[in-house]
Amino acid sequence: MKNKIITVFAIAAASVFLVNLLCLFKPFWLPFERRVYDIKYRLNISHEKCEEIVVVAIDEKSLLKLGRYQNWQRLYFAKVIDYLNNARVIGLDILFAEPDTLSLELRRYFTKPSYDSLLEAAIKENGRVVLVSSFEKPPIYTRFNRIGLGKVFADDDGVIRRGFSELFGKQTFAAEVAAFLNKRPLQNDFLIYFLDRSSFRRISFSDVYFRRVPQEFFNDKIILIGGTASGLFDYHAVPFTRKLAGVLVQANLINNFINNLKIDEIPYSFAIILILILSIIFAFLILYRHTHIYLITIIVIYLIFIILSFFLFSLRIELGIIRPTYILVCTVVIALIHRYRFEEKEKKKIKQIFSRYYSRELVEKVTAAPPKLGGEKVDCTILFADIRNFTPYAEKTAPEDVGMKLNRFLDEMVKSTFEYQGRVDKFIGDCIMAVFGSPVRVRNHAVNACYAALDMVAKAEKLGFRIGVGINSGEVISGNFGSPMRMEYTVIGDAVNLASRLEGVTKKFDCSIVVGAATYKMVMADPVPELEFRELGEVKVKGKEETIKVYSLSRRGAH
């Protein structure tokens, strides 16, 4: 048992170590993990409404009403900011990196008012405006407003999954909006909890500019102004879609910051403990259980693990499945290789042991369902067959003739044993011991032993010998016994000793076959017309305090 535990733990530990070593090479697992993560999002994307945040969208309608975006005057933004004077905070996801100017050709004909000063005045008047900046340049407006980095980082496959409150020591745009509301992010680097694009109320910029929306609607709201028109090219890939407007990405980040939302990641160290436990279970099942049992169990456990991962994601908890899957597959492969090598070694050992006792066909049955060589309790029938008066015969006959005739006799006895699915346990001089029902299970091993005994008696008579046969049934211990120098697969127990004593009883009653009560009861439970039993009475045998009832056996009609 100790060796089994060590083997199971060694296989599980080796699998965990090997896969973690391979996973140092991120392309081996990370791209696949990200794809599974995106599938989880598509299945679990939330459509809950976020009433706090309103997106004022520079959409196709706005471009149609106000003209090309590149020609927009900053007065448009000034007017919108003035109209939104009761909002909690206004975030402009628009980079104003250069002053607002006319082209050289238009300057010949038009005198342009200072739209930058108008916009700056509107920002000052409102006092609750946050603008985006870039790494290269801050916006030209910085005196009366906050600024934050508008950059969002995508993974190397181009998909935005992670959010940041700081980048290279600078506050991000979304974190700056949250800070204005006295909301501090719980951590800098996190998995974004996205809401569907329909979760945020969107109002066309032109509708706000032309004051078609009641001003009261924006009271105490977080307003984000940004582009959603496809011509503005401000779109990003996120887990549940490959085209989400940048302003909606920022809206999701702000929602995460102000409501302390995120996807919690289960530390990989905890996942390793879980997977190690599963690996130990898998290794044990594969090594020490039948194929159909471990296959079904492993499939069920793995499906439960996958379902658990998806269920946890619906609770905003991420449990990765690719590395754990690799570990489980590795465990299965290593365990199967070990089992195959171990089983082949065991089968070879069993074949070597049982080829001396069984016919080739029965040896194949034994190797298909190997017995426990260490010992197990079995119910079987034991037969002892001994030549009568063999010693006087051997003394009067030439040794060569004795050897030749004895070998011929034993060969016929072996054939009778094999014919009725028995096992030759051992030869004891001119006596043969045979076992029926172990290790190959036989439905009615007592009947088979009786038929084999009748066949042995008939063959012995043809060879000029008279034999005595003792048969008894019962529970014995079957296993490989002996010393490391010489082992022997045999059966031991009271039922074996009694069978040996019954062989000697044949002389007392002057009959060829004596059967014990246990064997008689087994045969008579489903009587065979061809077998005829006759009660001999009760006898006392060596090793038994009480007397036992015995029977003689003959073939019906043969006298």
Side-chain angles (χ1 to χ4, degrees), residues 4 20 37 45 76 88 96 141 203 209 236 249 260 287 320 417 426 434 475 506 509 515 530 548:
K4 288 182 179 180
N20 278 286
Y37 182 84
I45 186 65
Y76 295 169
R88 291 173 67 189
F96 298 106
Y141 313 106
I203 298 175
Y209 179 79
H236 304 275
V249 175
N260 291 327
L287 292 179
T417 303
K426 61 174 67 72
E475 189 176 74
T506 58
F509 290 100
V515 176
E530 196 174 355
I548 59 172

Side-chain angles (χ1 to χ4, degrees), residues 192-215:
I192 304 171
Y193 174 59
F194 283 101
L195 299 180
D196 187 58
R197 67 185 79 196
S198 62
S199 297
F200 299 97
R201 180 71 180 270
R202 283 187 285 175
I203 298 175
S204 175
F205 185 93
S206 62
D207 287 340
V208 180
Y209 179 79
F210 291 114
R211 305 191 174 187
R212 296 192 182 108
V213 182
Q215 194 174 21

Side-chain angles (χ1 to χ4, degrees), residues 131-150:
L131 298 182
V132 296
S133 67
S134 67
F135 285 114
E136 296 80 14
K137 286 185 178 182
I140 62 172
Y141 313 106
T142 58
R143 292 194 299 166
F144 309 111
N145 58 273
R146 297 182 181 225
I147 62 172
L149 288 173

Side-chain angles (χ1 to χ4, degrees), residues 153-155 157-161 194 235-245 249:
F153 275 99
D155 293 327
D157 60 352
V159 180
I160 296 171
R161 299 183 182 89
F194 283 101
Y235 279 88
H236 304 275
V238 293
F240 64 93
T241 179
R242 292 303 180 255
K243 191 176 181 182
L244 186 68
V249 175

Side-chain angles (χ1 to χ4, degrees), residues 364-511:
E364 293 301 323
K365 286 186 179 182
V366 173
T367 53
K372 294 179 181 178
L373 296 180
E376 62 179 332
K377 286 187 176 181
V378 296
D379 190 71
C380 63
T381 298
I382 305 95
L383 178 152
F384 281 85
D386 185 38
I387 300 175
R388 296 276 180 82
N389 302 316
F390 183 74
T391 303
Y393 166 78
E395 290 176 350
K396 298 176 184 177
T397 310
E400 296 83 0
D401 294 337
V402 172
M404 182 179 65
K405 198 163 185 180
L406 180 60
N407 286 337
R408 187 177 174 189
F409 165 77
L410 294 175
D411 182 53
E412 292 297 328
M413 299 302 102
V414 169
K415 288 178 181 178
S416 296
T417 303
F418 286 174
E419 184 178 351
Y420 292 98
Q421 296 182 299
R423 171 175 65 84
V424 175
D425 189 279
K426 61 174 67 72
F427 298 115
I428 310 167
D430 60 315
C431 177
I432 181 172
M433 173 182 168
V435 180
F436 297 81
S438 172
V440 175
R441 302 294 189 264
V442 179
R443 190 180 67 84
N444 196 337
H445 45 77
V447 171
N448 284 35
C450 290
Y451 274 118
L454 291 171
D455 198 44
M456 288 177 176
V457 170
K459 289 180 177 179
E461 288 178 355
K462 289 181 180 179
L463 293 173
F465 291 121
R466 189 180 176 199
I467 63 173
V469 180
I471 304 173
N472 187 50
S473 302
E475 189 176 74
V476 299
I477 298 175
S478 175
N480 212 26
F481 303 108
S483 75
M485 297 177 63
R486 188 177 187 280
M487 302 292 288
E488 184 177 51
Y489 188 84
T490 186
V491 291
I492 58 175
D494 186 60
V496 179
N497 297 333
L498 183 55
S500 176
R501 302 287 186 268
L502 293 181
E503 183 274 320
V505 171
T506 58
K507 299 175 183 176
K508 178 180 179 180
F509 290 100
D510 193 26
C511 60

